Amino acid sequence: PYRVPLAGKLTHCLFDKTGTLTTDTLVPVGVVNRSSEPGADGHLPKVQVADAETPAALVLAACHSLVLVDGKLTGDPIEVAALQGIGWSFDSQAETASPQSTQDSPKGKKQGIKSVRILQRFHFASHLQRMAVVVEVATDGSANLEGPGTYVLVKGSPEAVKKLLAKDTAPGWYDKSHTDLAERGLRVLSLAYRRLPTRQDKMAREEAEKDLIFAGFIAFECLVRKDSALVIGALN
């Protein structure tokens, strides 16, 4: 009952746009690799997600909380879109991701990686603005990494991940790049990793998420619903 008089004081009602003005499907629109260099206009080139360099692809392939339900990957739409974008598959029972080339993702690249098995997962925490996993990486020797072994993979907001990078390792264009992408209405995640000297199945989060190497950014967009203009026009 106390809500009735309170509602009478309202003059405006605001709604979150995802799934209302826009569709509830996030589309990966590109990756900024760590080796990128700014163009003449000062902006960094954004490549297709399928062309993500090995470190970025590694984070996208295994740093998630997806599960397989009735043969379909289920979980955060961003994580599903990212995995499909790089053309990898994930076996949630074996906790293993592996590259593939299918009819749906013909550009899936192995990039020298045979498989990535999740050993430990630090779930996304809103107050930390990130998630992380400890994984075992198997390669064929040609991967653009420090070799096979145990890695920590982290993804999260650009601001949160930057604080975890090894000292003075963030590229000079780090802040400008993710700000430019955000100003275009894109959702941006920063990707980072590091190789552990020895295998460690159980680590404290604070021990895992430190001295990271920047791997790149991935950007997503929510397309506007076809009927949004009609509805807004009717409301006006």
Side-chain angles (χ1 to χ4, degrees):
Y2 67 89
R3 292 188 179 91
V4 175
L6 180 63
K9 297 180 180 180
L10 295 179
T11 58
H12 296 79
C13 190
L14 305 179
F15 295 89
D16 174 67
K17 71 178 183 64
T18 304
T20 52
L21 296 179
T22 63
T23 65
D24 56 4
T25 302
L26 286 160
V27 179
V29 296
V31 168
V32 176
N33 288 309
R34 65 176 179 178
S35 63
S36 300
E37 293 293 338
D41 59 357
H43 295 292
L44 283 149
K46 187 169 80 269
V47 301
Q48 295 295 319
V49 178
D51 294 324
E53 293 176 353
T54 303
L58 190 65
V59 178
L60 296 173
C63 190
H64 55 69
S65 301
L66 298 176
V67 294
L68 206 61
V69 178
D70 295 330
K72 182 180 179 181
L73 276 177
T74 304
D76 189 326
I78 277 187
E79 295 177 342
V80 174
L83 191 68
Q84 292 173 342
I86 59 173
W88 284 50
S89 62
F90 181 68
D91 182 340
S92 59
Q93 289 189 330
E95 292 277 49
T96 300
S98 56
Q100 63 172 2
S101 291
T102 67
Q103 186 175 358
D104 295 328
S105 55
K107 292 186 179 181
K109 294 182 178 180
K110 289 191 174 182
Q111 299 180 320
I113 299 176
K114 293 181 178 178
S115 64
V116 185
R117 184 166 67 91
I118 299 173
L119 304 176
Q120 186 177 1
R121 185 183 279 112
F122 300 102
H123 288 281
F124 174 79
S126 57
H127 67 286
L128 297 176
Q129 300 179 32
R130 63 181 183 269
M131 77 163 292
V133 292
V134 180
V135 301
E136 187 73 21
V137 179
T139 72
D140 61 10
S142 64
N144 183 25
L145 289 170
E146 290 84 345
T150 308
Y151 285 76
V152 175
L153 310 177
V154 179
K155 71 176 181 185
S157 74
E159 296 83 2
V161 172
K162 186 179 181 181
K163 298 175 183 177
L164 306 176
L165 299 178
K167 187 177 179 180
D168 300 326
T169 60
W173 45 259
Y174 186 98
D175 291 327
K176 177 174 173 52
S177 178
H178 74 74
T179 300
D180 284 348
L181 292 169
E183 288 177 347
R184 296 181 216 171
L186 302 177
R187 181 171 179 181
V188 184
L189 292 178
S190 182
L191 316 172
Y193 74 102
R194 76 179 172 105
R195 186 174 186 265
L196 300 176
T198 58
R199 173 168 173 164
Q200 300 181 48
D201 291 340
K202 294 295 179 182
M203 299 180 68
R205 187 163 197 161
E206 296 75 15
E207 181 65 20
E209 298 175 333
K210 68 176 186 179
D211 299 328
L212 302 175
I213 300 171
F214 176 63
F217 294 121
I218 183 169
F220 301 85
E221 70 174 343
C222 277
L223 300 177
V224 177
R225 291 170 58 117
K226 294 181 179 180
D227 59 351
S228 290
L230 178 63
V231 172
I232 293 174
L235 292 173
N236 288 334

